[in-house]
Structures are given as C-alpha cells and as structure tokens.
Amino acid sequence: SGGRLESVAVDTWGVDYGRIGHDGELLELPFHYRDSRTDGAIEKVFGLVPASELYAEAGLQVQPFNTIFQLAAQADDERWGEVDTILLTPDLLGYWLSGRRYAEVTIASTTGLLDPTARRWSASITDALREKLGLPLPRVLPELVEPGTVVGTTRPGLLPGEVAVVAVGAHDTASAVVTVPAEVEDFAFISSGTWSLVGLELPAPVLSTASEAANFTNELGVDGTTRFLKNVMGLWVLIECRRAWTEESGEKLGWGELVELAAQEEPLAAVIDMEDERLLPPGDMVARVRALAAEAGQELGEGKGAVVRCILDSLALSYRRAIREACRVADRAVSVVHVVGGGSANTLLCQLTADATGLPVVAGPTEGTALGNLLVQARAMGALSGSLTDLRAVSRASSELRTYRPGALGIDPAAWDAAEARLG
C-alpha cells in the first residue's frame, strides 16, 4: 500500500543454523540455542583443540550455544552425509526468499568458525573439527558475503514482481549498531533487548590474551568494523520473571508497572551476576534470582518490585563492568554510552546505567535493529549514500533520543563499588 517494494532483507539472533540436504530442503527443524544438547560440548571441543588456539583464531566469547559447540554436539549424527549446506537463521530465510545459499559475515562471526581479521572462514578451525570430530567442514559452509550485497531477487510467485534480496548486517546486533546516533567516535554501545550486547566499535579485532581472559567477543560489523563486546544475559531474566508472575496470577503486568514497582525499592539492596549460566534456560527465573542473591549473602525483599530492582541494578552493574573491561583491554576511552533497542525505553535502567558508569547515556532508537536493516538496504539500493557516519546521521535525524546524566538518582558512586565487591 505504500508504493513499490524495492528490496527485502533479514536479520535475526546469532548462532543457530539449519541443515540443507542435497535436494535443497531442510533435513530437520533447526534447534534453538537454549536447548540442552550442548551440555558438555565446550569441554568436548577444548579437549581436542586448546581454548587459547581457538580464541587466537576466532576471538569469540566462550558460550555454550556458539555454533561451534552446537556442531560438536551434533557431530555423531549419522545424517551428515546427506547435508549439502548449513545456513544460519537469517541466511536460511534469505535462501528461501532468493534461492541463493550464502553466509553474511556478521552472522557468520557468531559461529566460532570465522577468522575475523581476514573476514573469511578459518581453515585451521574447520580442518581441526573435520579431523578430530568428523564434521564435513568446510564442505558444508556457504560462500561469505559482506553487508550491503544484493544477493539476488525473490523467487517467482513470492511477491508481486521481482524484489531485490539484500544481505544486511544479518546479526541483529550488527544492524542495531549501525543506528547508534553517535556524533563522536569514542562511544560505547549497549544493544539492549532479550540479550544485552555491551562493547565498543573498533577498526580491527582484539585477539590478545587479555581479551581472552576477559572473555570478550569479536563480532564483525558493517563497513569493515569489529564489534568488540560481551554478551550479558539481558532483559531475558526479567521477561521470564514476568512470564512466571503472569502464569501465577493470570494477570499480565505491564513493563511500566514493573519499572514503577522497582523504582520504589532500595537501590543496590541485592545484586546478582548476570553472566551466571544458570540464568540461560527458561524456567522458574524468580527462584533462580532469589537463589543467586542468597548465595552472595544478600537478602532479597519478598515483593515483585524487589526482584525487578535486583535485575535492573545487576544489569547496570554488568554494563559498568563490561564497558570498563572493554576500554582496558582495547586501550580505549569513551565519553558517552549509547543504548539502542527495546531496553532504551526502560527509563530506570537507562538512568541506572548512567549512574553506574559515570557517563552520559543517550537512549534510542528503540527499533534500532529494524532501522539499521533498512538503512543498509537503502544504501545498497541507491536511496542513500555515504559512509557509516552518514547512515548514523540519518538515524539521528529519524529518532527521538533521550539523554540521562549521572547522579540523578542520588546513589553514592561508592555504592556501586561495594555492590560489585559483593559478587567477588
């Protein structure tokens, strides 16, 4: 209804994949990364290839759901001989749209199979997995393309007429970071949603032993950039708590109502480690939050507000730690934090982040991933031109932004140090 459709592009979460058979069809439904099949896969892989060797080559944060560990968990599957190609989630959807099989580099950089310096599949990693686990690598890996590549047109009958299919920053965070409305280069970003991706945009990966020890990841970005970041559990924990409360009472609490309850609670009364893997699976999240607080010797109040406040305080504390670690390891300084994505609408979390980091926080755009996808498409189709800086100027002019200054909540800065010390 809005006029002629010129192009379409897909971005999704990272790491998950579908296996395409020789007939061009899926062999089975893809697994989701929160599945327990990867239990023990990290130890299995590191028992065959030292962790330090993998990090020096791929520079990826160790997480049980990384594609490399999912593949290791599936290594004994007898159907690998039937597999022609594996396609990551956005590329699988792109294949169904266009008929072309490819891997866009930003999503490929979540696999643990990519050399982020060369922006190519790593021969040493794929050879090791083939030799030690029998996986058919690199045979089943598709060709790589950069964001902004027009990969083809839609298959006949899918849409009215042929429409260009564009590979954008297919990892949702890569698209979101395109929209960071920065006017300076020394910024940190938080792509805040189900996950929180916290880090810096750099011209090249950081593959040092210090980076490995801090467990930072080097994911690729648009226009040759690297997203040097850490995955933090994010608002998933609050989403699961809300789900449990809804099931318990039958009443769906609004996000604003939950934030209001949290704002009435004592700040930093209890905090938890938001990187604890026990928070990863779905389930009774409220009980897990309470258990983690108790393990750290803290008493968490009985009401919902106390749980929400604990989660938001803990997220802000995690952001503070991640930004400081990123700056230390990458030898950078930042003057502002940009929060994009759904979490940018959480006013209390944004203010807590400003207080915790001691830096101004600029919140918005809320729909950063969708906007970033559109901006890269528009440039690929000739509707926009210029560099990443030019795209960000369009984002800035298209968004309602809000700035939060440190200290507005009156929390003693030393209280953040004390809260962090409680977690060890």
Side-chain angles (χ1 to χ4, degrees):
S1 63
R4 173 176 165 78
L5 183 65
E6 297 289 344
S7 63
V8 59
V10 181
D11 63 79
T12 76
W13 66 96
V15 306
D16 290 345
Y17 59 89
R19 300 194 298 174
I20 303 295
H22 298 298
D23 61 356
E25 301 295 328
L26 270 179
L27 287 184
E28 70 274 297
L29 290 176
F31 282 84
H32 191 271
Y33 64 83
R34 294 190 195 272
D35 190 86
S36 61
R37 69 178 181 148
T38 56
D39 292 352
I42 292 176
E43 294 78 11
K44 180 179 182 180
V45 172
F46 288 169
L48 299 171
V49 185
S52 56
E53 289 184 17
L54 287 175
Y55 192 88
E57 181 70 12
L60 206 65
Q61 180 180 353
V62 177
Q63 297 176 111
F65 48 72
N66 291 345
T67 312
I68 186 172
F69 302 127
Q70 292 199 46
L71 290 170
Q74 202 172 15
D76 295 333
D77 190 308
E78 295 178 355
R79 301 190 70 187
W80 276 111
E82 302 173 41
V83 178
D84 182 84
T85 318
I86 61 172
L87 294 176
L88 294 153
T89 309
D91 305 327
L92 175 61
L93 295 167
Y95 163 61
W96 284 332
L97 286 170
S98 68
R100 181 174 170 185
R101 303 179 199 184
Y102 58 90
E104 187 278 323
V105 295
T106 72
I107 198 75
S109 69
T110 70
T111 63
L113 305 175
L114 196 83
D115 174 347
T117 303
R119 300 175 82 92
R120 292 291 180 264
W121 297 119
S122 167
S124 63
I125 293 176
T126 56
D127 287 350
L129 294 180
R130 183 184 68 251
E131 293 166 6
K132 297 178 183 297
L133 288 173
L135 287 163
L137 300 172
R139 177 182 66 79
V140 297
L141 298 176
E143 64 171 320
L144 289 159
V145 299
E146 288 283 343
T149 302
V150 179
V151 296
T153 56
T154 51
R155 296 182 183 192
L158 284 181
L159 294 169
E162 286 191 348
V163 173
V165 178
V166 181
V168 293
H171 189 206
D172 50 12
T173 311
S175 279
V177 172
V178 168
T179 68
V180 168
E183 298 184 77
V184 296
E185 292 184 357
D186 60 337
F187 67 86
F189 66 80
I190 302 171
S191 180
S192 179
T194 307
W195 283 92
S196 291
L197 295 307
V198 187
L200 311 174
E201 184 175 77
L202 300 177
V206 180
L207 304 174
S208 64
T209 54
S211 178
E212 180 187 5
N215 204 21
F216 269 79
T217 204
N218 292 271
E219 294 177 358
L220 298 184
V222 172
D223 287 5
T225 56
T226 296
R227 290 171 290 120
F228 183 64
L229 58 85
K230 179 165 282 192
N231 285 268
V232 176
M233 203 62 68
L235 290 167
W236 158 256
V237 179
L238 182 54
I239 291 166
E240 278 294 277
C241 287
R242 182 196 190 205
R243 184 177 65 80
W245 289 324
T246 300
E247 290 176 354
E248 186 180 275
S249 65
E251 180 186 359
K252 194 169 187 177
L253 295 163
W255 295 117
E257 185 180 353
L258 290 173
V259 169
E260 216 172 284
L261 289 172
Q264 298 167 21
E265 297 291 327
E266 180 187 349
L268 299 171
V271 290
I272 61 174
D273 180 3
M274 295 300 287
E275 294 180 51
D276 195 299
E277 290 185 3
R278 285 171 287 182
L279 299 173
L280 180 64
D284 190 355
M285 194 64 75
V286 177
R288 280 183 241 165
V289 170
R290 291 191 176 282
L292 287 171
E295 281 180 22
Q298 304 164 113
E299 188 172 337
L300 192 55
E302 288 301 317
K304 296 180 179 69
V307 174
V308 178
R309 186 56 187 255
C310 173
I311 292 168
L312 298 183
D313 283 349
S314 300
L315 277 174
L317 194 63
S318 294
Y319 298 163
R320 171 189 195 251
R321 183 163 47 192
I323 289 169
R324 290 184 176 185
E325 282 185 328
C327 289
R328 174 183 61 82
V329 172
D331 193 23
R332 296 283 289 263
V334 298
S335 63
V336 62
V337 179
H338 282 275
V339 181
V340 298
S344 67
N346 189 317
T347 54
L348 179 55
L349 179 57
C350 289
Q351 185 59 61
L352 285 168
T353 302
D355 281 25
T357 61
L359 295 166
V361 167
V362 178
T366 305
E367 295 295 340
T369 295
L371 180 56
N373 180 317
L374 290 168
L375 287 171
V376 174
Q377 276 193 78
R379 187 176 65 175
M381 299 305 294
L384 291 174
S385 62
S387 66
L388 197 50
T389 299
D390 297 312
L391 296 185
R392 285 177 172 150
V394 176
S395 172
R396 193 163 55 247
S398 306
S399 307
E400 292 185 13
L401 307 176
R402 181 171 177 178
T403 300
Y404 297 81
R405 303 288 177 186
L409 294 175
I411 301 173
D412 184 348
W416 293 100
D417 295 327
E420 191 163 353
R422 273 182 254 154
L423 299 179

